[in-house]
């Protein structure tokens, strides 16, 4: 199941971008592992996105995928 989820995550990352697809992937993965504390799930997913944004995008200047749909909507 996680292999399929990871493949879908990689596909969706190209379509909707790193930030949104990572949030969905992390929430889905925790839900599949039967973790049901929604406050912690959302906090962990948001924390990871915030960390990766500052660590990779702002500090290391690594371009994160924006996604074709997001680029089409926002330019």
């Amino acid at each position: 199941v996680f292999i399929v989820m990871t493949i879908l995550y990689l596909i969706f990352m190209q379509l909707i971008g790193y930030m949104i697809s990572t949030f969905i992937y992390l929430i889905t993965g925790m839900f599949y592992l039967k973790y049901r504390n929604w406050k912690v799930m959302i906090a962990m997913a948001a924390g990871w996105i915030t960390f990766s944004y500052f660590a990779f995008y702002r500090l290391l200047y690594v371009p994160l995928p924006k996604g074709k749909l997001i680029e089409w909507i926002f330019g």
Side-chain angles (χ1 to χ4, degrees), residues 1-71:
V1 173
F2 266 100
I3 293 172
V4 173
M5 284 177 48
T6 303
I7 291 169
L8 289 173
Y9 167 64
L10 294 172
I11 292 169
F12 283 124
M13 189 185 309
Q14 299 301 317
L15 295 175
I16 60 175
Y18 174 79
M19 301 295 180
I20 299 170
S21 61
T22 299
F23 187 82
I24 294 169
Y25 177 73
L26 291 174
I27 296 293
T28 306
M30 287 185 269
F31 190 80
Y32 176 73
L33 292 172
K34 297 189 182 1
Y35 191 77
R36 298 294 193 267
N37 190 343
W38 287 100
K39 292 178 184 176
V40 175
M41 290 168 62
I42 291 171
M44 287 180 64
W48 173 254
I49 290 171
T50 303
F51 168 76
S52 62
Y53 172 76
F54 283 110
F56 296 110
Y57 191 75
R58 301 285 280 174
L59 184 64
L60 298 173
Y61 299 105
V62 175
L64 300 172
K66 292 181 183 176
K68 293 178 183 176
L69 180 63
I70 300 301
E71 285 181 352

